Amino acid sequence: MKEFLSSDSLLICTAHGSALAELEPPFEAQLFFPAHKAVSGSFDDLSPSFDGPGAGRFQPVGVTEIRQRKHEVVVRIQLFQPTDPVGAWLCIDRRLLEKTGELYFYKIKGLPVRRASGGETVAVINDYMETSAHGILIVRREDNGESLYLPLHDEHVKLDLESGECIVPGFDDFL
């Protein structure tokens, strides 16, 4: 591992990177550099937002090797032009993830949340947060726009990707 880390063509991914660890290199990817630069020194600067393709620039790279470490993933990249990848997002083609058969957030973002299948939409899936116990869905309520946190656990939440909805029979218990 030490030899692997001594190379200058590495990108240390600070997220858990479970999706990356499932992929088989080599494959093409893009580095996304946000248009804004960290200036305030706040915690928010550590996680640049992705506000769409116009909010920064993309640079093509090749991913040649991936290694899982305790809490991060180390990715060997082939740079096609010199750059400093610090603060960049590594963007991959979604079709690469389809081969893994796993559930990823992009598949459920925006799904309606209902108390029963086909029922009234009470919220929309807006974000996701990982905890040591289980995942948390952050949903935006339809009635007042407030965020609500739902444990992503079969006991409380059923994701139905075929019908494109999230069923939470005890939704009112989380209000």
Side-chain angles (χ1 to χ4, degrees):
M1 187 65 138
K2 186 176 181 181
E3 181 181 301
F4 183 79
L5 294 174
S6 66
S7 168
D8 61 354
S9 64
L10 296 179
L11 181 63
I12 307 294
C13 299
T14 54
H16 292 293
S18 59
L20 284 174
E22 299 293 323
L23 300 178
E24 291 291 327
F27 57 86
E28 298 297 314
Q30 300 275 332
L31 289 179
F32 173 75
F33 297 90
H36 76 281
K37 297 290 182 196
V39 292
S40 69
S42 75
F43 183 74
D44 292 335
D45 290 336
L46 297 176
S47 178
S49 64
F50 180 75
D51 297 323
R57 68 178 174 82
F58 287 92
Q59 178 178 329
V61 295
V63 175
T64 59
E65 193 172 353
I66 299 171
R67 298 237 178 132
Q68 180 79 41
R69 294 191 352 182
K70 259 187 185 176
H71 299 291
E72 59 194 9
V73 174
V74 181
V75 179
R76 184 179 308 276
I77 57 175
Q78 176 186 10
L79 295 171
F80 301 118
Q81 61 189 52
T83 192
D84 179 8
V86 174
W89 288 73
L90 180 64
C91 302
I92 61 174
D93 189 328
R94 288 181 178 179
R95 290 176 290 196
L96 292 171
L97 295 175
E98 297 298 326
K99 297 175 185 174
T100 68
E102 298 290 326
L103 176 66
Y104 297 106
F105 180 68
Y106 78 88
K107 293 180 179 181
I108 62 173
K109 184 176 182 178
L111 285 184
V113 177
R114 300 180 172 130
R115 291 180 182 94
S117 182
E120 174 189 2
T121 299
V122 292
V124 174
I125 297 176
N126 194 41
D127 209 343
Y128 175 80
M129 177 173 61
E130 189 68 43
T131 69
S132 59
H134 49 73
I136 303 289
L137 287 179
I138 303 171
V139 301
R140 188 180 62 253
R141 292 176 52 187
E142 289 287 303
D143 58 352
N144 61 14
E146 290 181 1
S147 292
L148 189 64
Y149 299 86
L150 305 174
L152 187 53
H153 190 280
D154 291 341
E155 182 180 319
H156 305 288
V157 173
K158 180 182 181 239
L159 294 170
D160 188 345
L161 297 180
E162 285 185 27
S163 65
E165 60 188 357
C166 175
I167 309 302
V168 184
F171 183 82
D172 294 336
D173 296 341
F174 297 99
L175 298 178

